Amino acid sequence: MTVPISLKVNSEVYKIDVGTNETLLEVLREKLKLKSVRRACQEGDCGVCTVLLNGKPVNSCLVLAVSADGCEITTLEGLSQREDFRALAESFVRNHAVQCGYCTPGMIITAYYILQSMDEVTEETIKKGLEGNLCRCTGYANIVSAVKDAYEQQK
Amino acid sequence: MNQNIFLGLRNIPSLNYHRPGTLKECLDLIRTFKSNSKILAGGTDLIPAFRAGRLFMSQEGHLIDVNGVKELDYIREEQGTIKIGALTRLAEVESSQVIRKRVPVLGQAIAQMGSLQIRNLATIGGNLCNASPAADSAIPLLALDSIVKVANSERERLIPLNDFFTGPGKTVLSDDEMLVEIQIPLSNASGSCVFYKLGRRNAFTLSVVSIGVYVEKEGNRVRNARIALGAVAPTPMRAHNGEKYIMSKNLQREVIEETGRIVSEETKPISDVRASAFYRRQMAFILTKKALNCISYS
Amino acid sequence: MIHDKLTKTLIGESVYTDDFEYPNMAYCVFVGSTQAHARIKEIDVSGAMQAPGVLKVLTGKDLIQYMDPLPATSDFSVVGWHWRVPKVYPLAVEKVGFYGEPVAAVIAETEYAARAAAELIQIDYEVLPAVVDAKHAMQPDAPLLYEEWGDNVQVHVTFEWGDIDSVFSEADRVLKVSWQEGRVSGFPIEPRGCVALYDKNTKELTMWGTYQTPYIAQRCISTTLRLPRSKVKVIALDIGGAFGNKINSWKDTVVALGSILTGRPVKWFENTREFIVTGPHQRDTIWEGEVAVTNGGKVLGVRAKYIQDLGVESTNRGAAAMSIVPACAAIPNAYRLKALKVDAYGVVTNKSFFCAYRGYGKDKGVKFMERIMDWIAAELKIDPAEIRKRNFIKANEFPYKQISGYVYDSGDYEKVFDEAIRMADAEKWRQEQQTLQGSGRYIGIGYAFTVEPAGVTVANCVFTGATEARIRINEDGFVEVWSDRTEIGQGGNITIGNVVSEILGANLEDIIVHNVTSDMVGSGPISSRGAVYPLSAVAKAARELKARVVKIASFFLEENEENISVGGGLIFSVKNKDKKMTFKDLARRAYFSPGPRGLSEELKLKGDIVLDVIATWYSPNTAKNPTSTYTTFCSSADVAVVEVDVETGNVSIIKYVHVHDAGRIINKQVIDGQLYGGIVQGIGEALIEEILYNEAGELLTKTYADFLMPTSVDAPGILLKHVETPSPFTETGAKGMGEAPIIGSKAVIISAIEDALRPFKVRIDRAPATKERICAWLSSRKNGDKEVKS
């Protein structure tokens, strides 16, 4: 069954037809060609598919696109246009928080949310906030440093 | 579902999709389609179940997406009761000022569930209806003797949460009913309540054993106690023998020790890939003691 | 411009396999067995073949018409070893040998259609008893995976160095030692995949994908498909981590065949579950033996039996049957051993195949030895740091020929170790340990020292030691570099850029490091060889190119060669600062204006006129010391303090120090990144990571929810420090690095837990030390069991 939906993705409104079984991840990647939203486990265990859904980080592999009708979605492509994201991206690069890069879009989206929305930004709250984004390359050390560094900068 | 093959990822079935805007519409749909339908709330249990091949539905099946039933998304305090709509996201419950003020243990337990991303999608109603024996939100709710309101298109009924779960993945819901509200009478929350979770790693992990202990005490004497545990029985459970034992006793070392022993004996854990029954029973003992020690010092 | 992966993504230039799209591309999905060991009575694909969108369905029986069996990645039967190579096709033909083993491939218009069709495949199995434990597999009545073998021993070698019998007879004491590591693997976040395109016009096959080692993949794919190498090109795309898990290629041959038969480009990209179930597994080792020591704590010799579980096999899908060699040869580690004897077995079981994971084989010997050191210390009541120091190879003894034949290039073990002990403030923690015991709290201090052999060259196997690098300066002023050092997230590209920039003088932003393809001969970034082989070839090529640049520039600038220098994107005279040119100027003049015709007679006769050089490089260490398989030897010290909750078994890491000697540091950020990453992986192996099969051979840990890896919350604070003893054997003085951190960390955490539980007399002889296991060890000691029940 296909259903017409409207998604506001990275500030642009898309009217598309989606199968009722298509995930938001699939629609973002395949229909909207937003390749920064990645596939790995596709069952909510790794976080590489993280996007902001109405401003909050979610696993896009667990959201049916049809269920996200009318929602606002932000991917890395959209975040990269924002002024308040630049410092975080630069901090990630400066602090060598990126090795193979596969987990990075999901990771940085969650990190962005932590910086923008969490009451307390400490090493502990950063680590806890990132618990749903697995990384195998970096051991997380430089990722946490990068978020802390960006936080210090924005204060 | 073809159980004869290994396939790394299964297709999500293409179902008939419904998106009710009101509770009434929703209940009517459930009544119509009954067990040929599934409710989609957060999707954090449903989607992985399809993907892993644990759940199968044919394309004649129906998906009832309740994410539009906004009237079920609320947290209120009314008439001495905290009322949480079934559709409330776990993250909302965790960060709610009402919850933090009135029943902080619930937020503390939820903070340890899944990941930030999962908590932004998963709903409290969904967590309870999925009825995993390890459902973390159920544990403090049981310790606070919460009540759930379920409804069908004719009427509502109130069920003590303690009577809600019937087996792994099973509840008392009939096939035309839906969970609509969780109620926590504040009179059940006047004492101290602590929650502990033991998992195999420090974050983003299923509970191996979890515990919620509620105690009202006078000085050091227990006036009322409720002990709830997760992942140690076919359902989230209350340790009634332990509760009976500790009533009217002073919270001292020997009593705590004995309570732990009794609670441990009441559990009916299984051995699975996460832990053995033996370890679970042992940890039920340890966590009971830990919780009671914490309460006795407060 | 060498971009980091975030910038690359932000500018829309990253292409991981899942991003790679081709017009008219079809999709391949693999269907696996739900039995661990069974004969395939029948596979009914008729339903699948008729499903919407399906182009082709292949089974093992189809494959044998088009393909040869997968070639062996190593074959030591030629040197007389007990070495068996089974006949293996990427789809099971008559028998399945592990849970999830692919039995069919469905190629369809879309991934969705392929998966839908896959559901319609019916398999009729004749279930056979499965064997999931290596020791059981070695018993005479065990079920056989390969009946023609008569047993389950794929490989067996006995290593003996020194006079083991006399060493044991002269020893003051002989201690029994045993050590077991559970099954784990790397499972980088990006699973595996490829896109295959067979061009019917040119009859050329191109493969793009997660190829850690394109040249090795080319060998496998072309041999299997009976295609000349010249007609097969394998290209590495952006790769989301590898750690050795993406070395082999076997399913890719089926994807390629799919393209050949359908005439379409075909993509395969697995998800994590498929990766965990059918991917390469590692560790799963058993050591049992004895160590001979003096009363003064000198380790004289070790003799042991080593059983390596190879899963279904490790010579065809996998390339690690020969890892038993470094497993044994790495045992002496940092110490002066007099003799070593190991009876090593590679045993097949009904589990997924064994291949490489950070450490490969060297890790096993080192961890075994580090456990032994702790036990000797405990037995002789000598401090565990002191016991190591008493046995260290001294700084003035390098290059040091180890009894196992490796020639260690350089090092200063005492300095590295003492620094780690100082940084960890071990003395203070010892006191703290005493104090806390009084209040029923148990902390432990662990030590580990690791010597990491890197830069491998082996005969009769795919890890040959060949490497080549090519550098070219273009007319547009950009410098292109090709090598076999695939970028897998380890920082290969940036360090290549650093080396070329330093030697050639070009600006880093003008250097282009190409994705690695099978056009360059070499084994890729395996076994930490990146900084040894490929980087040495790059340095060598850079030097040769620089010499040519200097010659040509001296002609154009009318300056003597000895006065020409390079740097900052310029070639200039040190005597006259007006005499300078950019690389773009030089190239334009050398290629076009005036071009080669306008160069000097001498240059023209020599032919040194094209700004394009290829160099190869081989280890001078191995060349001069034929028994030294490896070229460089990093060393590192790990010191960790943990607290163990003796009620729950929970382990908290309260201090972690790692001091590392990787020879000359080219890029400190890159190296530190490798250290943090490897340490956290090793901590995961020590505490939570375990691949588990049940007795019937079904894999129980199929997802990241069951095979638990560390999250950000599980990563402790880590203090790092560097010591640099340059390697005399590489072109840059750098040593190959990256595996020591995963080795030492696993050893040190186990060591620290054991130290914390010393009052309870728990001896830890296996990993992972999960919470439950720790509790079980404690309670079995409490029950007065003499033997700790693992």
Side-chain angles (χ1 to χ4, degrees):
Chain A
M1 176 178 176
T2 58
V3 178
I5 63 168
S6 171
L7 294 175
K8 186 171 181 192
V9 184
N10 299 330
S11 307
E12 255 194 73
V13 176
Y14 296 88
K15 293 204 188 298
I16 42 179
D17 290 332
V18 298
T20 55
N21 58 351
E22 279 189 71
T23 62
L24 182 60
L25 169 59
E26 287 162 347
V27 168
L28 291 172
R29 274 192 74 80
E30 303 306 315
K31 291 201 158 71
L32 302 186
K33 302 299 178 193
L34 295 165
K35 299 294 186 182
S36 77
V37 191
R38 301 210 166 121
R39 298 198 302 167
C41 79
Q42 297 169 71
E43 35 188 330
D45 294 329
C46 70
V48 293
C49 66
T50 304
V51 299
L52 295 179
L53 180 68
N54 296 338
K56 305 227 158 91
V58 300
N59 297 313
S60 59
C61 68
L62 297 180
V63 177
L64 291 184
V66 65
S67 189
D69 186 16
C71 290
E72 270 194 54
I73 291 131
T74 309
T75 69
L76 182 65
E77 288 85 349
L79 265 195
S80 65
Q81 304 302 317
R82 293 193 196 176
E83 264 311 305
D84 58 6
F85 174 74
R86 196 170 308 270
L88 180 60
E90 283 166 9
S91 184
F92 260 59
V93 175
R94 184 172 63 247
N95 284 284
H96 193 55
V98 183
Q99 288 188 29
C100 82
Y102 203 69
C103 76
T104 305
M107 186 74 72
I108 207 169
I109 284 172
T110 308
Y112 175 78
Y113 175 80
I114 291 169
L115 287 175
Q116 295 298 318
S117 329
M118 277 171 65
D119 306 321
E120 255 193 285
V121 180
T122 64
E123 176 153 330
E124 208 185 314
T125 63
I126 292 168
K127 282 182 166 180
K128 177 78 168 103
L130 295 176
E131 68 184 320
N133 291 91
L134 293 184
C135 174
R136 206 53 166 150
C137 294
T138 67
Y140 306 99
N142 288 339
I143 294 173
V144 175
S145 305
V147 180
K148 268 204 290 200
D149 192 2
Y151 178 65
E152 293 304 314
Q153 297 232 327
Q154 94 186 5
K155 267 204 303 203
Chain B
M1 170 84 352
N2 190 343
Q3 300 294 358
N4 197 235
I5 55 163
F6 168 75
L7 198 54
L9 193 72
R10 318 294 260 227
N11 286 333
I12 296 171
S14 178
L15 301 167
N16 295 295
Y17 176 81
H18 309 271
R19 190 166 168 111
T22 65
L23 180 57
K24 181 178 184 322
E25 278 173 52
C26 182
L27 294 173
D28 286 341
L29 285 165
I30 295 172
R31 184 189 56 188
T32 309
F33 298 115
K34 297 227 172 68
S35 54
N36 193 23
S37 67
K38 275 274 177 213
I39 290 173
L40 173 68
T44 57
D45 288 316
L46 187 67
I47 303 297
F50 282 133
R51 288 303 203 184
R54 286 192 296 271
L55 180 62
F56 172 75
M57 290 177 82
S58 79
Q59 60 185 24
E60 274 82 58
H62 297 265
L63 191 66
I64 303 170
D65 181 351
V66 301
N67 288 292
V69 184
K70 300 294 182 202
E71 64 191 272
L72 288 181
D73 182 357
Y74 57 86
I75 301 173
R76 302 196 265 266
E77 184 182 334
E78 12 186 90
Q79 299 149 342
T81 307
I82 306 284
K83 296 182 179 178
I84 309 173
L87 190 65
T88 312
R89 309 284 164 187
L90 291 182
E92 292 298 315
V93 179
E94 188 207 340
S95 61
S96 150
Q97 290 307 315
V98 172
I99 300 293
R100 284 186 180 180
K101 193 158 158 236
R102 298 304 207 181
V103 284
V105 67
L106 181 58
Q108 287 156 11
I110 287 174
Q112 297 179 65
M113 290 175 70
S115 63
L116 180 59
Q117 292 92 323
I118 298 282
R119 296 190 293 274
N120 280 329
L121 285 173
T123 63
I124 193 162
N127 187 237
L128 295 176
C129 293
N130 188 53
S132 161
D136 287 333
S137 74
I139 305 315
L141 289 173
L142 279 176
L144 296 173
D145 220 358
S146 307
I147 297 153
V148 292
K149 186 197 286 188
V150 315
N152 64 13
S153 43
E154 318 282 290
R155 50 114 190 93
E156 301 175 334
R157 55 184 181 123
L158 295 175
I159 307 169
L161 186 61
N162 200 23
D163 299 334
F164 183 68
F165 304 109
T166 60
K170 293 184 168 47
T171 67
V172 296
L173 288 172
S174 7
D175 61 7
D176 67 344
E177 281 181 312
M178 187 171 111
L179 176 72
V180 295
E181 185 178 84
I182 294 109
Q183 298 179 351
I184 311 170
L186 284 169
S187 54
N188 290 351
S190 58
S192 308
C193 193
V194 302
F195 171 85
Y196 287 115
K197 168 174 174 159
L198 187 67
R200 284 187 302 150
R201 67 180 172 193
N202 294 338
F204 193 18
T205 191
L206 291 163
S207 291
V208 165
V209 178
S210 59
I211 195 166
V213 175
Y214 171 81
V215 170
E216 287 164 36
K217 54 187 175 122
E218 256 167 36
N220 216 22
R221 208 168 94 93
V222 174
R223 229 182 43 195
N224 194 6
R226 288 180 226 114
I227 301 171
L229 297 117
V232 291
T235 69
M237 62 171 273
R238 287 268 300 273
H240 294 297
N241 295 345
E243 293 167 6
K244 258 196 237 91
Y245 170 78
I246 206 176
M247 266 305 275
S248 306
K249 296 209 168 54
N250 280 324
L251 276 180
Q252 56 205 35
R253 203 170 64 84
E254 300 76 29
V255 169
I256 290 175
E257 189 87 9
E258 182 63 9
T259 311
R261 204 192 53 77
I262 292 170
V263 167
S264 171
E265 305 236 304
E266 279 187 87
T267 61
K268 293 193 260 308
I270 57 164
S271 294
D272 62 17
V273 68
R274 282 178 281 284
S276 68
F278 180 84
Y279 180 69
R280 287 186 156 117
R281 239 179 263 116
Q282 186 66 9
M283 290 308 106
F285 169 61
I286 297 293
L287 291 186
T288 303
K289 289 201 301 178
K290 190 169 176 183
L292 290 172
N293 277 323
C294 176
I295 288 172
S296 79
Y297 289 134
S298 65
Chain C
M1 184 74 210
I2 301 160
H3 290 299
D4 65 278
K5 287 293 165 62
L6 172 58
T7 305
K8 221 177 160 187
T9 302
L10 289 171
I11 62 181
E13 279 184 16
S14 60
V15 185
Y16 295 86
T17 301
D18 199 24
D19 304 330
F20 191 89
E21 275 177 3
Y22 226 87
N24 216 25
M25 192 169 75
Y27 217 96
C28 178
V29 157
F30 286 92
V31 177
S33 161
T34 48
Q35 295 297 329
H37 196 200
R39 252 179 262 288
I40 302 173
K41 283 179 14 202
E42 207 196 320
I43 303 183
D44 180 4
V45 301
S46 55
M49 283 170 71
Q50 285 152 36
V54 171
L55 300 168
K56 202 100 192 138
V57 180
L58 294 167
T59 65
K61 291 218 160 65
D62 297 320
L63 289 193
I64 57 184
Q65 297 170 49
Y66 299 103
M67 283 184 176
D68 284 341
L70 297 167
T73 52
S74 65
D75 192 349
F76 292 88
S77 64
V78 302
V79 295
W81 289 6
H82 172 121
W83 200 270
R84 287 145 155 179
V85 177
K87 195 161 143 179
V88 179
Y89 288 92
L91 297 177
V93 181
E94 273 158 27
K95 252 178 86 163
V96 291
F98 64 101
Y99 176 87
E101 177 173 357
V103 295
V106 179
I107 298 155
E109 296 286 351
T110 64
E111 186 181 345
Y112 183 86
R115 291 199 188 284
E119 299 278 1
L120 303 172
I121 291 178
Q122 293 296 332
I123 307 169
D124 196 8
Y125 304 98
E126 181 201 322
V127 179
L128 301 169
V131 54
V132 293
D133 172 80
K135 274 186 161 171
H136 175 209
M138 289 176 83
Q139 279 160 20
D141 59 345
L144 294 178
L145 270 79
Y146 308 99
E147 277 107 23
E148 64 273 21
W149 290 4
D151 60 40
N152 289 316
V153 178
Q154 180 170 24
V155 303
H156 174 216
V157 194
T158 302
F159 300 98
E160 193 167 342
W161 297 289
D163 186 342
I164 197 77
D165 292 324
S166 85
V167 149
F168 269 79
S169 60
E170 88 188 42
D172 293 330
R173 291 202 231 193
V174 170
L175 311 180
K176 276 201 163 8
V177 291
S178 64
W179 167 242
Q180 228 174 289
E181 295 188 66
R183 202 168 183 84
V184 297
S185 197
F187 302 136
I189 307 300
E190 181 206 35
R192 295 172 308 164
C194 68
V195 175
L197 173 57
Y198 182 74
D199 186 323
K200 285 204 153 82
N201 301 294
T202 59
K203 298 193 170 36
E204 283 172 351
L205 173 67
T206 309
M207 312 283 296
W208 297 264
T210 59
Y211 292 108
Q212 183 173 355
T213 54
Y215 184 71
I216 293 178
Q218 182 204 42
R219 175 181 184 272
C220 166
I221 294 165
S222 60
T223 311
T224 309
L225 289 170
R226 307 174 191 147
L227 294 170
R229 300 268 203 132
S230 55
K231 291 293 196 184
V232 175
K233 182 158 173 169
V234 178
I235 300 167
L237 296 172
D238 285 330
I239 297 178
F243 315 115
N245 282 180
K246 294 175 177 172
I247 287 175
N248 60 301
S249 42
W250 52 294
K251 290 186 190 177
D252 316 62
T253 59
V254 178
V255 185
L257 182 62
S259 182
I260 292 169
L261 297 176
T262 62
R264 308 267 291 264
V266 178
K267 177 190 269 192
W268 157 62
F269 185 70
E270 63 189 4
N271 79 327
T272 304
R273 188 184 286 257
E274 187 177 338
F275 191 16
I276 292 176
V277 172
T278 67
H281 293 177
Q282 248 274 344
R283 317 315 184 216
D284 210 345
T285 60
I286 303 170
W287 296 95
E288 277 158 7
E290 300 172 312
V291 59
V293 296
T294 68
N295 285 326
K298 286 260 165 49
V299 183
L300 300 174
V302 173
R303 62 182 170 211
K305 179 174 174 185
Y306 162 50
I307 302 173
Q308 177 59 63
D309 188 317
L310 299 179
V312 70
E313 51 84 13
S314 194
T315 46
N316 302 70
R317 300 177 191 83
M322 67 278 199
S323 69
I324 62 171
V325 182
C328 298
I331 291 172
N333 201 15
Y335 312 114
R336 254 190 251 93
L337 234 62
K338 287 168 84 172
L340 176 60
K341 180 174 180 186
V342 187
D343 204 15
Y345 295 88
V347 177
V348 295
T349 58
N350 293 118
K351 296 189 268 194
S352 192
F353 68 102
F354 184 77
C355 195
Y357 174 37
R358 202 168 189 169
Y360 187 67
K362 324 166 236 192
D363 64 302
K364 296 162 187 71
V366 171
K367 279 173 268 183
F368 182 42
M369 187 51 135
E370 287 307 291
R371 295 277 58 230
I372 289 173
M373 292 313 249
D374 279 347
W375 295 329
I376 296 170
E379 175 77 14
L380 299 177
K381 301 207 189 336
I382 298 173
D383 176 77
E386 176 59 28
I387 199 88
R388 288 166 166 91
K389 290 208 254 189
R390 286 189 194 175
N391 288 280
F392 273 162
I393 296 157
K394 299 268 177 274
N396 60 5
E397 292 182 88
F398 292 94
Y400 179 85
K401 182 158 183 189
Q402 191 47 279
I403 51 164
S404 51
Y406 296 164
V407 173
Y408 293 3
D409 56 348
S410 62
D412 190 342
Y413 300 160
E414 260 193 66
K415 183 171 177 187
V416 168
F417 200 40
D418 282 340
E419 187 57 22
I421 294 165
R422 187 195 64 78
M423 280 169 72
D425 209 348
E427 281 223 15
K428 173 196 116 182
W429 288 105
R430 241 344 134 205
Q431 287 162 24
E432 191 70 6
Q433 185 182 48
Q434 291 297 335
T435 313
L436 287 172
Q437 258 177 47
S439 50
R441 286 176 62 186
Y442 299 92
I443 66 169
I445 303 148
Y447 298 90
F449 199 90
T450 305
V451 169
E452 179 198 335
V456 65
T457 168
V458 185
N460 304 307
C461 98
V462 290
F463 302 139
T464 64
T467 192
E468 57 183 3
R470 176 180 173 196
I471 309 179
R472 170 202 273 197
I473 305 169
N474 287 327
E475 206 185 322
D476 59 8
F478 281 94
V479 180
E480 293 182 270
V481 186
W482 297 262
S483 76
D484 69 279
R485 192 186 196 186
T486 321
E487 174 63 64
I488 50 175
Q490 87 284 39
N493 284 359
I494 189 67
T495 44
I496 286 173
N498 291 143
V499 166
V500 172
S501 178
E502 188 183 309
I503 294 173
L504 197 55
N507 286 327
L508 197 55
E509 58 264 26
D510 295 331
I511 298 173
I512 296 164
V513 181
H514 282 281
N515 277 25
V516 173
T517 76
S518 51
D519 285 351
M520 299 307 282
V521 175
S523 333
I526 53 128
S527 186
S528 304
R529 76 187 272 283
V532 182
Y533 276 86
L535 204 58
S536 291
V538 165
K540 197 170 159 194
R543 288 196 184 105
E544 284 178 30
L545 186 55
K546 183 206 168 177
R548 209 172 280 187
V549 160
V550 165
K551 279 198 162 62
I552 296 174
S554 106
F555 172 75
F556 286 125
L557 292 175
E558 293 170 353
E559 176 60 86
N560 291 331
E561 280 181 37
E562 58 267 20
N563 295 330
I564 300 277
S565 193
V566 297
L570 293 171
I571 308 125
F572 56 92
S573 164
V574 298
K575 290 271 196 263
N576 181 346
K577 59 182 165 65
D578 293 324
K579 290 190 174 180
K580 61 180 183 218
M581 53 196 337
T582 64
F583 280 84
K584 191 171 175 180
D585 291 336
L586 180 78
R588 191 181 46 82
R589 294 210 213 179
Y591 285 122
F592 188 75
S593 198
R597 185 84 182 268
L599 291 171
S600 72
E601 178 183 321
E602 193 201 333
L603 280 171
K604 282 185 284 211
L605 285 173
K606 276 222 173 101
D608 256 359
I609 52 185
V610 175
L611 297 169
D612 192 342
V613 170
I614 292 187
T616 70
W617 185 91
Y618 191 83
S619 164
N621 187 351
T622 314
K624 289 185 208 150
N625 308 302
T627 59
S628 193
T629 310
Y630 296 92
T631 308
T632 68
F633 298 79
C634 277
S635 55
S636 66
D638 296 82
V639 182
V641 182
V642 305
E643 176 163 5
V644 182
D645 181 333
V646 296
E647 292 190 312
T648 61
N650 184 58
V651 175
S652 309
I653 301 171
I654 39 192
K655 185 118 188 160
Y656 196 103
V657 169
H658 180 89
V659 177
H660 195 270
D661 177 2
R664 190 191 142 226
I665 293 172
I666 293 167
N667 189 317
K668 183 173 182 297
Q669 259 201 340
V670 161
I671 290 184
D672 284 354
Q674 290 298 294
L675 297 179
Y676 288 129
I679 288 169
V680 172
Q681 283 179 315
I683 289 171
E685 282 193 55
L687 297 176
I688 59 178
E689 293 179 24
E690 199 166 21
I691 295 172
L692 289 168
Y693 285 83
N694 66 14
E695 273 174 34
E698 183 191 345
L699 180 61
L700 299 174
T701 53
K702 300 185 187 77
T703 67
Y704 281 151
D706 289 320
F707 178 76
L708 293 177
M709 305 185 324
T711 67
S712 47
V713 178
D714 299 287
I718 296 167
L719 296 174
L720 297 180
K721 185 139 186 207
H722 293 281
V723 167
E724 288 178 75
T725 65
S727 176
F729 294 130
T730 61
E731 292 293 312
T732 61
K735 297 180 197 248
M737 65 82 57
E739 290 165 297
I742 202 176
I743 300 171
S745 54
K746 186 172 186 175
V748 81
I749 297 299
I750 298 292
S751 172
I753 297 170
E754 191 174 76
D755 188 60
L757 301 182
R758 216 173 291 286
F760 304 92
K761 297 188 176 32
V762 167
R763 186 158 120 158
I764 302 179
D765 64 354
R766 72 185 294 184
T770 61
K771 298 181 196 191
E772 179 167 347
R773 261 196 201 113
I774 289 174
C775 285
W777 293 330
L778 285 166
S779 73
S780 87
R781 294 311 278 158
K782 212 154 146 212
N783 296 339
D785 297 345
K786 280 211 172 59
E787 282 293 310
V788 173
K789 295 199 190 79
S790 278

